[in-house]
PDB file of all heavy atoms in Angstrom:
ATOM      1  N   ALA A 157      87.627 104.116 109.108  1.00 40.00           N
ATOM      2  CA  ALA A 157      87.979 105.428 108.693  1.00 40.00           C
ATOM      3  C   ALA A 157      89.282 105.912 109.491  1.00 40.00           C
ATOM      4  O   ALA A 157      89.988 106.734 109.002  1.00 40.00           O
ATOM      5  CB  ALA A 157      86.889 106.433 108.996  1.00 40.00           C
ATOM      6  N   ALA A 158      89.566 105.219 110.607  1.00 42.00           N
ATOM      7  CA  ALA A 158      90.689 105.597 111.392  1.00 42.00           C
ATOM      8  C   ALA A 158      91.964 104.934 110.872  1.00 42.00           C
ATOM      9  O   ALA A 158      93.125 105.320 111.406  1.00 42.00           O
ATOM     10  CB  ALA A 158      90.500 105.167 112.829  1.00 42.00           C
ATOM     11  N   LEU A 159      91.993 104.185 109.906  1.00 45.00           N
ATOM     12  CA  LEU A 159      93.073 103.460 109.292  1.00 45.00           C
ATOM     13  C   LEU A 159      93.987 104.616 108.693  1.00 45.00           C
ATOM     14  O   LEU A 159      93.544 105.313 107.843  1.00 45.00           O
ATOM     15  CB  LEU A 159      92.811 102.495 108.220  1.00 45.00           C
ATOM     16  CG  LEU A 159      91.970 101.255 108.767  1.00 45.00           C
ATOM     17  CD1 LEU A 159      91.676 100.351 107.547  1.00 45.00           C
ATOM     18  CD2 LEU A 159      92.772 100.482 109.801  1.00 45.00           C
ATOM     19  N   PRO A 160      95.243 104.586 109.106  1.00 46.00           N
ATOM     20  CA  PRO A 160      96.210 105.649 108.501  1.00 46.00           C
ATOM     21  C   PRO A 160      96.447 105.430 107.035  1.00 46.00           C
ATOM     22  O   PRO A 160      96.420 104.273 106.623  1.00 46.00           O
ATOM     23  CB  PRO A 160      97.518 105.474 109.350  1.00 46.00           C
ATOM     24  CG  PRO A 160      97.409 104.081 109.783  1.00 46.00           C
ATOM     25  CD  PRO A 160      95.981 103.726 110.031  1.00 46.00           C
ATOM     26  N   PRO A 161      96.689 106.467 106.238  1.00 47.00           N
ATOM     27  CA  PRO A 161      96.806 106.231 104.827  1.00 47.00           C
ATOM     28  C   PRO A 161      98.162 105.661 104.639  1.00 47.00           C
ATOM     29  O   PRO A 161      99.174 105.790 105.337  1.00 47.00           O
ATOM     30  CB  PRO A 161      96.682 107.659 104.330  1.00 47.00           C
ATOM     31  CG  PRO A 161      97.201 108.627 105.424  1.00 47.00           C
ATOM     32  CD  PRO A 161      96.633 107.806 106.714  1.00 47.00           C
ATOM     33  N   GLY A 162      98.356 105.058 103.387  1.00 47.00           N
ATOM     34  CA  GLY A 162      99.635 104.707 102.936  1.00 47.00           C
ATOM     35  C   GLY A 162     100.069 103.205 103.468  1.00 47.00           C
ATOM     36  O   GLY A 162     101.202 102.840 103.253  1.00 47.00           O
ATOM     37  N   LEU A 163      99.104 102.581 104.033  1.00 45.00           N
ATOM     38  CA  LEU A 163      99.385 101.155 104.608  1.00 45.00           C
ATOM     39  C   LEU A 163      99.526 100.236 103.420  1.00 45.00           C
ATOM     40  O   LEU A 163      98.602 100.376 102.469  1.00 45.00           O
ATOM     41  CB  LEU A 163      98.378 100.722 105.564  1.00 45.00           C
ATOM     42  CG  LEU A 163      98.477 101.457 106.928  1.00 45.00           C
ATOM     43  CD1 LEU A 163      97.344 100.883 107.920  1.00 45.00           C
ATOM     44  CD2 LEU A 163      99.850 101.213 107.667  1.00 45.00           C
ATOM     45  N   PRO A 164     100.373  99.265 103.442  1.00 47.00           N
ATOM     46  CA  PRO A 164     100.395  98.265 102.265  1.00 47.00           C
ATOM     47  C   PRO A 164      99.113  97.418 102.290  1.00 47.00           C
ATOM     48  O   PRO A 164      98.544  96.972 103.347  1.00 47.00           O
ATOM     49  CB  PRO A 164     101.573  97.342 102.710  1.00 47.00           C
ATOM     50  CG  PRO A 164     101.831  97.517 104.062  1.00 47.00           C
ATOM     51  CD  PRO A 164     101.299  98.928 104.373  1.00 47.00           C
ATOM     52  N   THR A 165      98.564  97.119 101.074  1.00 47.00           N
ATOM     53  CA  THR A 165      97.421  96.341 100.966  1.00 47.00           C
ATOM     54  C   THR A 165      97.850  94.872 100.671  1.00 47.00           C
ATOM     55  O   THR A 165      98.558  94.680  99.805  1.00 47.00           O
ATOM     56  CB  THR A 165      96.577  96.842  99.695  1.00 47.00           C
ATOM     57  OG1 THR A 165      96.191  98.257  99.926  1.00 47.00           O
ATOM     58  CG2 THR A 165      95.285  96.041  99.520  1.00 47.00           C
ATOM     59  N   PRO A 166      97.341  94.025 101.501  1.00 45.00           N
ATOM     60  CA  PRO A 166      97.738  92.616 101.246  1.00 45.00           C
ATOM     61  C   PRO A 166      97.170  92.001  99.936  1.00 45.00           C
ATOM     62  O   PRO A 166      96.074  92.335  99.527  1.00 45.00           O
ATOM     63  CB  PRO A 166      97.045  91.842 102.498  1.00 45.00           C
ATOM     64  CG  PRO A 166      95.940  92.756 102.834  1.00 45.00           C
ATOM     65  CD  PRO A 166      96.360  94.072 102.513  1.00 45.00           C
ATOM     66  N   PRO A 167      97.939  91.155  99.279  1.00 43.00           N
ATOM     67  CA  PRO A 167      97.419  90.597  97.956  1.00 43.00           C
ATOM     68  C   PRO A 167      96.352  89.470  98.281  1.00 43.00           C
ATOM     69  O   PRO A 167      96.291  88.979  99.330  1.00 43.00           O
ATOM     70  CB  PRO A 167      98.643  89.899  97.399  1.00 43.00           C
ATOM     71  CG  PRO A 167      99.465  89.610  98.651  1.00 43.00           C
ATOM     72  CD  PRO A 167      99.336  90.757  99.574  1.00 43.00           C
ATOM     73  N   ARG A 168      95.489  89.422  97.329  1.00 41.00           N
ATOM     74  CA  ARG A 168      94.384  88.507  97.534  1.00 41.00           C
ATOM     75  C   ARG A 168      94.583  87.089  96.829  1.00 41.00           C
ATOM     76  O   ARG A 168      93.960  86.112  97.114  1.00 41.00           O
ATOM     77  CB  ARG A 168      93.050  89.041  96.989  1.00 41.00           C
ATOM     78  CG  ARG A 168      92.502  90.295  97.712  1.00 41.00           C
ATOM     79  CD  ARG A 168      92.074  89.891  99.068  1.00 41.00           C
ATOM     80  NE  ARG A 168      91.039  88.953  99.038  1.00 41.00           N
ATOM     81  CZ  ARG A 168      89.709  89.239  98.795  1.00 41.00           C
ATOM     82  NH1 ARG A 168      89.356  90.544  98.660  1.00 41.00           N
ATOM     83  NH2 ARG A 168      88.825  88.319  98.804  1.00 41.00           N
ATOM     84  N   THR A 169      95.503  87.133  95.865  1.00 42.00           N
ATOM     85  CA  THR A 169      95.672  85.799  95.029  1.00 42.00           C
ATOM     86  C   THR A 169      97.022  85.224  95.128  1.00 42.00           C
ATOM     87  O   THR A 169      97.482  84.516  94.223  1.00 42.00           O
ATOM     88  CB  THR A 169      95.261  86.219  93.608  1.00 42.00           C
ATOM     89  OG1 THR A 169      96.190  87.230  93.101  1.00 42.00           O
ATOM     90  CG2 THR A 169      93.988  86.627  93.432  1.00 42.00           C
ATOM     91  N   GLY A 170      97.838  85.710  96.051  1.00 43.00           N
ATOM     92  CA  GLY A 170      99.192  85.210  96.143  1.00 43.00           C
ATOM     93  C   GLY A 170     100.202  85.779  95.070  1.00 43.00           C
ATOM     94  O   GLY A 170     101.064  85.025  94.778  1.00 43.00           O
ATOM     95  N   ALA A 171      99.842  86.917  94.564  1.00 43.00           N
ATOM     96  CA  ALA A 171     100.698  87.522  93.578  1.00 43.00           C
ATOM     97  C   ALA A 171     102.072  87.824  94.130  1.00 43.00           C
ATOM     98  O   ALA A 171     102.251  88.007  95.305  1.00 43.00           O
ATOM     99  CB  ALA A 171     100.129  88.831  93.121  1.00 43.00           C
ATOM    100  N   GLY A 172     103.098  87.809  93.211  1.00 51.00           N
ATOM    101  CA  GLY A 172     104.523  88.070  93.658  1.00 51.00           C
ATOM    102  C   GLY A 172     105.198  86.951  94.359  1.00 51.00           C
ATOM    103  O   GLY A 172     106.140  87.107  95.059  1.00 51.00           O
ATOM    104  N   GLY A 173     104.642  85.777  94.090  1.00 71.00           N
ATOM    105  CA  GLY A 173     105.283  84.578  94.582  1.00 71.00           C
ATOM    106  C   GLY A 173     104.893  84.231  96.077  1.00 71.00           C
ATOM    107  O   GLY A 173     105.437  83.274  96.662  1.00 71.00           O
ATOM    108  N   ILE A 174     103.996  84.947  96.715  1.00 84.00           N
ATOM    109  CA  ILE A 174     103.498  84.590  97.947  1.00 84.00           C
ATOM    110  C   ILE A 174     102.449  83.504  97.942  1.00 84.00           C
ATOM    111  O   ILE A 174     101.534  83.704  97.154  1.00 84.00           O
ATOM    112  CB  ILE A 174     102.936  85.923  98.700  1.00 84.00           C
ATOM    113  CG1 ILE A 174     103.843  87.051  98.739  1.00 84.00           C
ATOM    114  CG2 ILE A 174     102.361  85.557 100.098  1.00 84.00           C
ATOM    115  CD1 ILE A 174     103.361  88.295  99.286  1.00 84.00           C
ATOM    116  N   PRO A 175     102.740  82.447  98.685  1.00 90.00           N
ATOM    117  CA  PRO A 175     101.729  81.324  98.691  1.00 90.00           C
ATOM    118  C   PRO A 175     100.296  81.936  99.050  1.00 90.00           C
ATOM    119  O   PRO A 175     100.127  82.861  99.806  1.00 90.00           O
ATOM    120  CB  PRO A 175     102.262  80.417  99.730  1.00 90.00           C
ATOM    121  CG  PRO A 175     103.650  80.662  99.823  1.00 90.00           C
ATOM    122  CD  PRO A 175     103.833  82.081  99.539  1.00 90.00           C
ATOM    123  N   ARG A 176      99.234  81.390  98.411  1.00 92.00           N
ATOM    124  CA  ARG A 176      97.961  81.839  98.560  1.00 92.00           C
ATOM    125  C   ARG A 176      97.438  81.678  99.895  1.00 92.00           C
ATOM    126  O   ARG A 176      96.585  82.566 100.434  1.00 92.00           O
ATOM    127  CB  ARG A 176      96.946  81.191  97.603  1.00 92.00           C
ATOM    128  CG  ARG A 176      97.115  81.636  96.150  1.00 92.00           C
ATOM    129  CD  ARG A 176      95.923  80.993  95.221  1.00 92.00           C
ATOM    130  NE  ARG A 176      94.726  81.519  95.786  1.00 92.00           N
ATOM    131  CZ  ARG A 176      93.528  81.012  95.463  1.00 92.00           C
ATOM    132  NH1 ARG A 176      93.393  79.924  94.664  1.00 92.00           N
ATOM    133  NH2 ARG A 176      92.331  81.500  95.914  1.00 92.00           N
ATOM    134  N   VAL A 177      97.971  80.672 100.687  1.00 95.00           N
ATOM    135  CA  VAL A 177      97.435  80.630 102.046  1.00 95.00           C
ATOM    136  C   VAL A 177      97.956  81.773 102.883  1.00 95.00           C
ATOM    137  O   VAL A 177      97.150  82.206 103.899  1.00 95.00           O
ATOM    138  CB  VAL A 177      97.955  79.185 102.670  1.00 95.00           C
ATOM    139  CG1 VAL A 177      99.495  79.147 102.859  1.00 95.00           C
ATOM    140  CG2 VAL A 177      97.238  78.940 104.063  1.00 95.00           C
ATOM    141  N   LEU A 178      99.002  82.323 102.567  1.00 94.00           N
ATOM    142  CA  LEU A 178      99.520  83.469 103.248  1.00 94.00           C
ATOM    143  C   LEU A 178      98.777  84.751 102.962  1.00 94.00           C
ATOM    144  O   LEU A 178      98.422  85.520 103.791  1.00 94.00           O
ATOM    145  CB  LEU A 178     101.039  83.741 103.021  1.00 94.00           C
ATOM    146  CG  LEU A 178     101.984  82.488 103.436  1.00 94.00           C
ATOM    147  CD1 LEU A 178     103.482  82.897 103.192  1.00 94.00           C
ATOM    148  CD2 LEU A 178     101.796  82.173 104.878  1.00 94.00           C
ATOM    149  N   SER A 179      98.618  84.916 101.659  1.00 92.00           N
ATOM    150  CA  SER A 179      97.764  86.136 101.173  1.00 92.00           C
ATOM    151  C   SER A 179      96.368  86.010 101.722  1.00 92.00           C
ATOM    152  O   SER A 179      95.705  87.069 102.029  1.00 92.00           O
ATOM    153  CB  SER A 179      97.871  86.261  99.689  1.00 92.00           C
ATOM    154  OG  SER A 179      97.206  84.996  99.007  1.00 92.00           O
ATOM    155  N   GLU A 180      95.824  84.819 101.811  1.00 94.00           N
ATOM    156  CA  GLU A 180      94.477  84.689 102.381  1.00 94.00           C
ATOM    157  C   GLU A 180      94.423  85.168 103.889  1.00 94.00           C
ATOM    158  O   GLU A 180      93.526  85.804 104.229  1.00 94.00           O
ATOM    159  CB  GLU A 180      93.962  83.264 102.191  1.00 94.00           C
ATOM    160  CG  GLU A 180      92.558  83.043 102.647  1.00 94.00           C
ATOM    161  CD  GLU A 180      91.534  83.962 101.890  1.00 94.00           C
ATOM    162  OE1 GLU A 180      91.761  84.383 100.753  1.00 94.00           O
ATOM    163  OE2 GLU A 180      90.419  84.242 102.540  1.00 94.00           O
ATOM    164  N   LEU A 181      95.402  84.645 104.523  1.00 96.00           N
ATOM    165  CA  LEU A 181      95.382  85.101 106.023  1.00 96.00           C
ATOM    166  C   LEU A 181      95.645  86.570 106.126  1.00 96.00           C
ATOM    167  O   LEU A 181      95.083  87.312 107.032  1.00 96.00           O
ATOM    168  CB  LEU A 181      96.528  84.306 106.727  1.00 96.00           C
ATOM    169  CG  LEU A 181      96.737  84.628 108.281  1.00 96.00           C
ATOM    170  CD1 LEU A 181      95.349  84.433 109.012  1.00 96.00           C
ATOM    171  CD2 LEU A 181      97.775  83.776 108.882  1.00 96.00           C
ATOM    172  N   MET A 182      96.557  87.126 105.289  1.00 94.00           N
ATOM    173  CA  MET A 182      96.712  88.620 105.326  1.00 94.00           C
ATOM    174  C   MET A 182      95.443  89.253 105.145  1.00 94.00           C
ATOM    175  O   MET A 182      95.110  90.366 105.791  1.00 94.00           O
ATOM    176  CB  MET A 182      97.806  88.952 104.285  1.00 94.00           C
ATOM    177  CG  MET A 182      99.126  88.439 104.509  1.00 94.00           C
ATOM    178  SD  MET A 182     100.303  88.574 103.096  1.00 94.00           S
ATOM    179  CE  MET A 182     100.512  90.395 103.072  1.00 94.00           C
ATOM    180  N   HIS A 183      94.576  88.756 104.229  1.00 94.00           N
ATOM    181  CA  HIS A 183      93.223  89.454 104.056  1.00 94.00           C
ATOM    182  C   HIS A 183      92.316  89.203 105.213  1.00 94.00           C
ATOM    183  O   HIS A 183      91.671  90.083 105.726  1.00 94.00           O
ATOM    184  CB  HIS A 183      92.625  88.776 102.685  1.00 94.00           C
ATOM    185  CG  HIS A 183      91.258  89.232 102.571  1.00 94.00           C
ATOM    186  ND1 HIS A 183      90.933  90.579 102.327  1.00 94.00           N
ATOM    187  CD2 HIS A 183      90.018  88.565 102.576  1.00 94.00           C
ATOM    188  CE1 HIS A 183      89.573  90.600 102.181  1.00 94.00           C
ATOM    189  NE2 HIS A 183      89.017  89.365 102.321  1.00 94.00           N
ATOM    190  N   ARG A 184      92.265  87.947 105.765  1.00 95.00           N
ATOM    191  CA  ARG A 184      91.380  87.662 106.832  1.00 95.00           C
ATOM    192  C   ARG A 184      91.725  88.287 108.115  1.00 95.00           C
ATOM    193  O   ARG A 184      90.903  88.454 108.972  1.00 95.00           O
ATOM    194  CB  ARG A 184      91.265  86.113 106.982  1.00 95.00           C
ATOM    195  CG  ARG A 184      90.703  85.428 105.904  1.00 95.00           C
ATOM    196  CD  ARG A 184      90.400  83.892 106.231  1.00 95.00           C
ATOM    197  NE  ARG A 184      89.973  83.181 105.118  1.00 95.00           N
ATOM    198  CZ  ARG A 184      89.496  81.898 105.109  1.00 95.00           C
ATOM    199  NH1 ARG A 184      89.368  81.336 106.341  1.00 95.00           N
ATOM    200  NH2 ARG A 184      89.059  81.353 104.018  1.00 95.00           N
ATOM    201  N   LEU A 185      92.922  88.718 108.326  1.00 95.00           N
ATOM    202  CA  LEU A 185      93.255  89.466 109.540  1.00 95.00           C
ATOM    203  C   LEU A 185      92.553  90.724 109.678  1.00 95.00           C
ATOM    204  O   LEU A 185      92.375  91.252 110.794  1.00 95.00           O
ATOM    205  CB  LEU A 185      94.842  89.841 109.457  1.00 95.00           C
ATOM    206  CG  LEU A 185      95.785  88.635 109.844  1.00 95.00           C
ATOM    207  CD1 LEU A 185      97.230  89.077 109.557  1.00 95.00           C
ATOM    208  CD2 LEU A 185      95.684  88.198 111.350  1.00 95.00           C
ATOM    209  N   GLY A 186      92.063  91.216 108.596  1.00 94.00           N
ATOM    210  CA  GLY A 186      91.184  92.478 108.645  1.00 94.00           C
ATOM    211  C   GLY A 186      89.901  92.231 109.470  1.00 94.00           C
ATOM    212  O   GLY A 186      89.308  93.227 109.949  1.00 94.00           O
ATOM    213  N   ARG A 187      89.517  90.942 109.569  1.00 94.00           N
ATOM    214  CA  ARG A 187      88.297  90.658 110.370  1.00 94.00           C
ATOM    215  C   ARG A 187      88.499  91.015 111.869  1.00 94.00           C
ATOM    216  O   ARG A 187      87.566  91.273 112.607  1.00 94.00           O
ATOM    217  CB  ARG A 187      87.966  89.217 110.233  1.00 94.00           C
ATOM    218  CG  ARG A 187      87.659  88.749 108.821  1.00 94.00           C
ATOM    219  CD  ARG A 187      87.373  87.292 108.758  1.00 94.00           C
ATOM    220  NE  ARG A 187      87.082  86.838 107.351  1.00 94.00           N
ATOM    221  CZ  ARG A 187      86.950  85.619 107.030  1.00 94.00           C
ATOM    222  NH1 ARG A 187      86.845  84.663 107.968  1.00 94.00           N
ATOM    223  NH2 ARG A 187      86.780  85.297 105.693  1.00 94.00           N
ATOM    224  N   TYR A 188      89.786  90.974 112.335  1.00 94.00           N
ATOM    225  CA  TYR A 188      90.028  91.239 113.692  1.00 94.00           C
ATOM    226  C   TYR A 188      89.617  92.738 113.982  1.00 94.00           C
ATOM    227  O   TYR A 188      89.236  93.064 115.091  1.00 94.00           O
ATOM    228  CB  TYR A 188      91.532  91.042 114.034  1.00 94.00           C
ATOM    229  CG  TYR A 188      91.953  91.544 115.392  1.00 94.00           C
ATOM    230  CD1 TYR A 188      91.561  90.898 116.496  1.00 94.00           C
ATOM    231  CD2 TYR A 188      92.657  92.759 115.454  1.00 94.00           C
ATOM    232  CE1 TYR A 188      91.909  91.311 117.779  1.00 94.00           C
ATOM    233  CE2 TYR A 188      93.027  93.107 116.744  1.00 94.00           C
ATOM    234  CZ  TYR A 188      92.643  92.491 117.873  1.00 94.00           C
ATOM    235  OH  TYR A 188      93.028  92.906 119.145  1.00 94.00           O
ATOM    236  N   LEU A 189      89.888  93.647 112.969  1.00 92.00           N
ATOM    237  CA  LEU A 189      89.448  95.032 113.277  1.00 92.00           C
ATOM    238  C   LEU A 189      88.023  95.208 113.372  1.00 92.00           C
ATOM    239  O   LEU A 189      87.524  96.166 114.116  1.00 92.00           O
ATOM    240  CB  LEU A 189      89.964  95.890 112.097  1.00 92.00           C
ATOM    241  CG  LEU A 189      91.500  95.831 111.855  1.00 92.00           C
ATOM    242  CD1 LEU A 189      91.826  96.627 110.590  1.00 92.00           C
ATOM    243  CD2 LEU A 189      92.297  96.281 112.951  1.00 92.00           C
ATOM    244  N   ASP A 190      87.219  94.347 112.798  1.00 91.00           N
ATOM    245  CA  ASP A 190      85.751  94.463 112.944  1.00 91.00           C
ATOM    246  C   ASP A 190      85.203  93.873 114.242  1.00 91.00           C
ATOM    247  O   ASP A 190      84.354  94.382 114.924  1.00 91.00           O
ATOM    248  CB  ASP A 190      85.020  93.595 111.806  1.00 91.00           C
ATOM    249  CG  ASP A 190      85.408  94.288 110.381  1.00 91.00           C
ATOM    250  OD1 ASP A 190      85.830  95.408 110.383  1.00 91.00           O
ATOM    251  OD2 ASP A 190      85.342  93.545 109.446  1.00 91.00           O
ATOM    252  N   ALA A 191      85.804  92.734 114.705  1.00 92.00           N
ATOM    253  CA  ALA A 191      85.344  91.990 115.814  1.00 92.00           C
ATOM    254  C   ALA A 191      86.509  91.351 116.640  1.00 92.00           C
ATOM    255  O   ALA A 191      86.711  90.143 116.450  1.00 92.00           O
ATOM    256  CB  ALA A 191      84.235  90.909 115.521  1.00 92.00           C
ATOM    257  N   PRO A 192      87.294  92.110 117.421  1.00 92.00           N
ATOM    258  CA  PRO A 192      88.482  91.600 118.012  1.00 92.00           C
ATOM    259  C   PRO A 192      88.284  90.449 118.870  1.00 92.00           C
ATOM    260  O   PRO A 192      88.961  89.381 118.839  1.00 92.00           O
ATOM    261  CB  PRO A 192      89.038  92.851 118.876  1.00 92.00           C
ATOM    262  CG  PRO A 192      88.383  93.990 118.145  1.00 92.00           C
ATOM    263  CD  PRO A 192      87.060  93.582 117.624  1.00 92.00           C
TER     264      PRO A 192
END
C-alpha cells in the first residue's frame, strides 16, 4: 500500500523488444519488497 502511484509497471512477456529474461527479472524484483 505504501508504493507511490505512477511507477512504471515492468512487462511480463518481454513486450517492446525487451528480452524475456530481463522482463522476468523486473517482475521477480518485487519479491524483495516482500522478504528483503
